[in-house]
Amino acid sequence: MNIILLGPPGAGKGTQAKILQDARGMVQLSTGDMLRAAKDSGTEMGKIVADVMARGDLVTDEIVIGLIREKLQEGSEGGFIFDGFPRTLAQADALGQLLDEMGQTLDHVIELQVDDETLVARIVNRAKEAAAAGQPVRADDNAESVKVRLMAYYKQTAPLIGYYHAKCLLERVDGLAEIDDVKDAIAKVLDKG
Ligand code: ADP
């Protein structure tokens, strides 16, 4: 089974993706994590994406589609959880094609619904907690970049809600609920077939 977790930054996609990965033997594909790894490894691509990410803008479709293509080729028996991808209509089309080529389907798109105030509070809090624990704070977890990230979401990613609704794949889950309740709501969607 292959699924997409869709939602704005801070909606809890990464948290739920990790839970699903552990519980169901699925593989989480987070383009954000992949891009951060590229940045940390100091590769050419890493250098190119670092500034774009710190600002909160989207990296080019070409780069992220390339990253996803590579990971898909590694395969996953339990299927994939796409987290933070696709983020544009072009990426969504590319994902559909890649899955087609592999004889695979996209089974569910789960939209985590949260309000903007909660998102900003969660992200600012995540940065504060990391700093207090002496852990690295994400370069884009500041008020300025969060605004750019939210704008990018509404302009470029939110159209995917209609796109997947039209394909009868969209399911909505309340992302404001407790982590465990969000987990149960997602499980209900996945287990109904
Ligand atoms: P969040 O969802 O909290 O914004 P991510 O870790 O998913 O965090 O992404 C962080 C940044 O990485 C984004 O703001 C963007 O610059 C880049 N990025 C991640 N995924 C994509 C993607 N699919 N397309 C373009 N840029 C991406």
Side-chain angles (χ1 to χ4, degrees), residues 9 51-57 119-121 123-124 127 138-153:
D51 287 344
V52 180
M53 289 176 75
R55 273 204 312 272
D57 285 327
L119 297 175
V120 177
I123 292 171
V124 170
R138 274 175 51 167
D140 59 351
D141 273 357
N142 58 74
E144 194 81 357
S145 303
V146 170
K147 271 191 220 151
V148 180
R149 282 157 66 195
L150 273 178
M151 199 52 93
Y153 177 78

Side-chain angles (χ1 to χ4, degrees), residues 7-10 13 30-33 35-36 52-53 56-61 64 83-87 91 123 126 138 140 149:
K13 302 184 297 287
S30 157
T31 41
D33 286 350
L35 291 166
R36 275 186 289 279
V52 180
M53 289 176 75
D57 285 327
L58 294 191
V59 170
T60 63
D61 289 336
V64 289
D83 159 16
F85 177 92
R87 254 178 162 91
Q91 291 178 21
I123 292 171
R126 173 165 79 186
R138 274 175 51 167
D140 59 351
R149 282 157 66 195

Side-chain angles (χ1 to χ4, degrees), residues 5 12-20 112 179 182-183 186:
L5 296 182
K13 302 184 297 287
T15 302
Q16 295 299 329
K18 291 211 162 55
I19 292 175
L20 286 168
L112 294 177
I179 290 177
V182 178
K183 180 198 84 178
I186 294 176

Side-chain angles (χ1 to χ4, degrees), residues 46-123:
K47 285 179 208 154
I48 296 170
V49 301
D51 287 344
V52 180
M53 289 176 75
R55 273 204 312 272
D57 285 327
L58 294 191
V59 170
T60 63
D61 289 336
E62 201 189 349
I63 289 181
V64 289
I65 292 166
L67 288 170
I68 287 287
R69 182 184 289 118
E70 253 176 57
K71 291 287 178 187
L72 282 182
Q73 280 160 358
E74 290 171 17
S76 162
E77 252 176 53
F80 292 103
I81 308 154
F82 298 97
D83 159 16
F85 177 92
R87 254 178 162 91
T88 64
L89 289 168
Q91 291 178 21
D93 280 338
L95 176 61
Q97 260 179 23
L98 287 170
L99 290 173
D100 262 1
E101 284 165 19
M102 294 168 54
Q104 299 244 356
T105 53
L106 181 61
D107 301 289
H108 298 282
V109 177
I110 294 170
E111 183 201 353
L112 294 177
Q113 295 188 302
V114 209
D115 63 79
D116 286 358
E117 265 173 54
T118 308
L119 297 175
V120 177
R122 279 185 184 178
I123 292 171

